[in-house]
Amino acid sequence: ITFEEDFSTDKLNEETWLTSFFWGKMLLNEGYSLTGDKHYFTNGENLDVSNKTLSIVTKKEQAKGKVWNTTLGFTIKDFDFTSGIINTAQSFRQKYGRFEAKVKLSSNDNVQHVFWMVGETILPHIDIFKYNSKTKKELLISNFWKSDTSKTGFEKNEGKISISALQKDYFIYSLDWTPEKLTWKINDFVIAEQTTGIPDEELYLQFSSGINSSKSQNGLPASMDIDWVKCYKKKE
């Protein structure tokens, strides 16, 4: 085991977890959201640690905060929703191994929950899971990597599974990462494998929730509940 968090205290360990995007901490010393986000990532206000569980809570409430726009830079925006984000960018990064978390997802169709890994830049980027319920109840499993031959500058591999059976309880979501292959698992059952676009740099863990459709406000607040997080590395 190289990393372990069971949220056994009544407060989030801020030496382990950042509560904003890494570059928000480095450049602004505060959080921000991305262009198109309907929610503002508060600085820990939407994170609740109790009964050895971390809940990332998405709420209907007004907030004002910074947004990153690739053309305009940082601007101020009014939001109607808030949510939370945590990552290990300053405390833990690893190349290869097993990365897993025991998570329970809410059933709100307007809220997206993500367990992902990223490095110094947006690419490479691995979604261990992304709950995409805007159009269908699906769990997306994705990998994005740089490409000099693609018009977009990146390539991706994406798989989908039905989420209807995954909204009732806790499940263990895992990624096994070797130099040759990425393997996604749920409760140790293999759901996807990939042998192209394998990252070759250390990545950190990131969990986030947010609004992907503001058409209906029913079911808010909604949460992603994390029981524990563990990472492993093979012994030399």
Side-chain angles (χ1 to χ4, degrees), residues 96-109:
Y96 309 140
R98 170 172 284 195
F99 308 84
E100 63 183 9
K102 185 177 180 181
V103 180
K104 182 179 181 181
L105 305 174
S106 74
S107 58
N108 189 296
D109 290 345

Side-chain angles (χ1 to χ4, degrees), residues 5-233:
E5 172 67 88
D6 60 4
F7 305 106
S8 58
T9 62
D10 59 358
K11 185 179 179 181
L12 189 69
N13 186 341
E14 294 182 359
E15 293 184 0
T16 300
W17 300 100
L18 288 181
T19 56
S20 65
F21 284 118
F22 172 63
W23 287 110
K25 174 67 175 179
M26 296 297 292
L27 298 176
L28 306 170
N29 199 32
E30 64 177 298
Y32 67 90
S33 293
L34 301 176
T35 301
D37 283 349
K38 299 175 179 63
H39 53 272
Y40 179 65
F41 287 126
T42 62
N43 188 24
E45 290 87 349
N46 291 61
L47 306 175
D48 177 65
V49 181
S50 60
N51 299 318
K52 295 185 177 181
T53 302
L54 169 68
S55 297
I56 301 179
V57 185
T58 303
K59 304 176 182 179
K60 166 64 176 175
E61 62 180 358
Q62 293 185 336
K64 184 187 294 287
K66 287 186 172 65
V67 174
W68 170 250
N69 185 293
T70 55
T71 303
L72 302 176
F74 289 105
T75 59
I76 302 296
K77 178 180 175 180
D78 291 317
F79 294 87
D80 292 324
F81 303 90
T82 61
S83 196
I85 185 171
I86 60 170
N87 66 67
T88 63
Q90 287 189 315
S91 64
F92 174 79
R93 302 184 184 209
Q94 182 171 304
K95 182 172 72 170
Y96 309 140
R98 170 172 284 195
F99 308 84
E100 63 183 9
K102 185 177 180 181
V103 180
K104 182 179 181 181
L105 305 174
S106 74
S107 58
N108 189 296
D109 290 345
N110 301 318
V111 178
Q112 178 173 270
H113 307 296
V114 193
F115 174 18
W116 45 305
M117 299 180 66
V118 69
E120 283 296 292
T121 60
I122 194 62
L123 296 172
H125 172 141
I126 303 173
D127 290 329
I128 298 180
F129 71 71
K130 177 185 287 185
Y131 172 26
N132 177 39
S133 59
K134 187 174 182 180
T135 55
K136 297 180 180 179
K137 292 184 181 295
E138 295 175 330
L139 206 68
L140 304 182
I141 302 136
S142 312
N143 181 32
F144 301 81
W145 64 97
K146 294 179 182 178
S147 172
D148 295 331
T149 59
S150 172
K151 293 182 179 179
T152 60
F154 70 91
E155 294 184 49
K156 70 174 181 177
N157 182 70
E158 187 174 80
K160 303 176 183 179
I161 63 172
S162 171
I163 197 176
S164 57
L166 300 175
Q167 297 176 302
K168 301 175 182 178
D169 206 344
Y170 283 92
F171 290 85
I172 299 173
Y173 300 86
S174 308
L175 175 75
D176 287 344
W177 171 17
T178 71
E180 298 80 25
K181 183 164 55 173
L182 296 172
T183 304
W184 288 261
K185 299 178 181 179
I186 298 179
N187 283 6
D188 213 30
F189 180 81
V190 175
I191 58 172
E193 293 181 324
Q194 181 181 338
T195 57
T196 56
I198 308 301
D200 189 32
E201 64 181 87
E202 292 184 336
L203 305 180
Y204 58 85
L205 310 175
Q206 192 152 250
F207 296 84
S208 62
S209 293
I211 293 289
N212 61 15
S213 173
S214 55
K215 293 181 180 179
S216 172
Q217 301 166 17
N218 296 332
L220 293 179
S223 68
M224 173 168 61
D225 303 321
I226 307 170
D227 187 5
W228 51 255
V229 185
K230 297 178 183 178
C231 302
Y232 305 82
K233 199 168 189 177

